Amino acid sequence: MTAFVFRRGRISLRVERRTVVLVAVLAVVLAGLALLGLCYGAAWASPARVFAALGGSGGGPGVVIREWRLPRVAAGLVFGAALGLAGAIFQNVTRNPLGSPDVIGLDSGAYTGALIAMTVLSGSPTQLTFASVVGGLVTAAAVYLLSMGGSRSGLRLIVIGIAINAMLTALNSWIVLRADLEVAIAAVGWSAGSLNGIGWSDVAVPFGVLAVLFAVLLTRASALHQSALGTELAVTTGVRHEALRLQLVVIGVGCTATVTAVAGPIAFVALAAPQIGRRLARAPGIPLLPAALVGALLLAGADLVAQMLLAPVSLPVGVVSTAIGGCYLIWLLTKEVRRK
């Protein structure tokens, strides 16, 4: 199969032709989905009006498109890509299709941190972001340390993560039950995962954080792909496996916690996107770029469905993503059973 090799400094990426075609197709689909998201709303806007609004004109409808719809569409694409990358990272690290942040408890840990910020502190956006990242990192450290007695790349880490996820879910329920009524209502609504009401002020800092994490991940992409081929082979090529794994875990937790701090825990995107991307690309490992694009496609598409199902009432996107992810999980488990 024809491949393209790009080298820049110490970074070397080998990209198969099928992956290049897949990325181009997904980019076109995402552009169409983004345009649909900008057109759809309480009042339909034609594509011509959308382009006029993006150019700075359009009057009142232009302000609605630029200030209300555009941040939501951008959040769906960027947050979906972040969740897809986080899922790809953890599935590469664990070498297991179930190794995603929402399965091994990182989403619940980030949610715990956010709940503490909401109930103990004032719950400002900065506090929510910081507390979510800390909660995710503490959860990742607990899973990592408890799995040190065995293979951290296999089933042991997944099982420990599921157990911690269950305990954190119980803890989160207890915190909500003990909180004031107004805080509890806000926390429960936020826990569904939603892009409703997101504006530029909500996403400016998270976008900056995610941009830094994406850039750092790019520098580790080549080592990640080498590690996916096997620990022994990666070590012989100069990859410091344990250090790389720790760096990747921090990046994955950062992506998950940043999204959780703004939109709440959004389930199943990180689980499904990497595997769908891998199957479309027919890659031996979990390729990062297809995972990111499929994640963006899943979240942006789920958000559009959430807006349309009970219009004019807009459902939380987490409700739709959970339904889609549940169907995917049933299909995945059925396929694994048939393979055996």
Side-chain angles (χ1 to χ4, degrees), residues 46-140:
S46 65
R49 177 171 291 180
V50 168
F51 289 123
L54 296 179
S57 60
V63 174
V64 171
I65 292 172
R66 289 192 302 271
E67 300 300 326
W68 293 2
R69 298 183 188 177
L70 184 57
R72 181 172 188 152
V73 171
L77 296 177
V78 175
F79 290 169
L83 292 175
L85 287 175
I89 287 173
F90 285 103
Q91 289 179 17
N92 271 310
V93 168
T94 62
R95 297 176 188 172
N96 192 308
L98 292 177
S100 70
D102 43 352
V103 172
I104 62 178
L106 302 188
D107 279 10
S108 297
Y111 181 39
T112 302
L115 282 178
I116 292 174
M118 295 173 69
T119 55
V120 178
L121 305 175
S122 62
S124 66
T126 302
Q127 292 173 349
L128 283 175
T129 301
F130 180 76
S132 295
V133 172
V134 171
L137 287 174
V138 170
T139 304

Side-chain angles (χ1 to χ4, degrees), residues 83-84 86-88 91 269-279 286-287 291 294:
L83 292 175
Q91 289 179 17
V269 174
L271 174 68
Q275 290 298 313
I276 295 174
R278 181 182 70 84
R279 284 173 168 78
I286 310 292
V294 172

Side-chain angles (χ1 to χ4, degrees), residues 132-255:
S132 295
V133 172
V134 171
L137 287 174
V138 170
T139 304
V143 174
Y144 190 85
L145 292 175
L146 289 174
S147 64
M148 287 184 67
S151 174
R152 285 189 293 273
S153 62
L155 184 61
R156 180 184 177 91
L157 188 146
I158 303 295
V159 173
I160 290 174
I162 292 174
I164 289 180
N165 188 22
M167 290 187 290
L168 287 174
T169 300
L171 174 62
N172 293 340
S173 298
W174 180 81
I175 293 175
V176 171
L177 290 173
R178 298 285 296 179
D180 294 335
L181 181 59
E182 292 183 0
V183 175
I185 293 175
V188 170
W190 183 73
S191 67
S194 177
L195 299 180
N196 296 338
I198 282 184
W200 289 120
S201 60
D202 300 311
V203 299
V205 174
F207 280 5
V209 173
L210 291 175
V212 172
L213 292 173
F214 292 169
V216 175
L217 180 59
L218 178 62
T219 66
R220 311 306 298 152
S222 179
L224 172 62
H225 291 150
Q226 292 176 15
S227 179
L229 298 177
T231 303
E232 295 78 8
L233 178 61
V235 171
T236 59
T237 57
V239 175
R240 298 174 57 189
H241 191 68
E242 288 300 323
L244 173 65
R245 179 176 293 171
L246 181 59
Q247 294 167 12
L248 293 173
V249 167
V250 171
I251 295 171
V253 171
C255 290

